[in-house]
Amino acid sequence: MSESTDLVPERMLRRAEAAKYVVATYNVPCSPKTLAKLACVSSEGPPFRLAGRFPLYPVSGLDDWAKKKIGPLVRSTSEVRRVA
């Protein structure tokens, strides 16, 4: 197999970079402290791996997590109740 056909490993972000990525890409409020709390007390946060004691968040996991936090497109607030 040649080097040009090898798979490129997925980009992993440290916690502060991950929070900035979510805000910049999806305009979803996110802070490093929120990600830290979710990692400790909840299973509602984005997936991560540990490199020693440092969490690394794959970009694909951040994308999936942020998209789930955004609600459906509606035309009025009365639609929100029907969709939920």
Side-chain angles (χ1 to χ4, degrees):
M1 184 181 274
S2 71
E3 288 183 37
S4 62
T5 59
D6 288 340
L7 293 176
V8 176
E10 183 171 12
R11 186 169 168 219
M12 306 284 273
L13 304 175
R14 297 269 305 261
R15 190 168 277 150
E17 294 172 308
K20 287 179 186 176
Y21 173 82
V22 169
V23 172
T25 306
Y26 296 98
N27 203 26
V28 171
C30 185
S31 75
K33 288 183 179 184
T34 299
L35 293 177
K37 184 172 183 175
L38 289 172
C40 290
V41 299
S42 173
S43 62
E44 300 294 319
F48 63 93
R49 294 179 184 271
L50 288 175
R53 62 185 190 104
F54 299 104
L56 298 175
Y57 294 84
V59 171
S60 64
L62 293 169
D63 290 336
D64 293 342
W65 178 73
K67 288 175 185 175
K68 288 178 187 173
K69 295 187 68 68
I70 299 172
L73 190 61
V74 296
R75 296 189 183 274
S76 75
T77 56
S78 63
E79 287 183 50
V80 174
R81 288 184 212 94
R82 286 189 298 219
V83 173

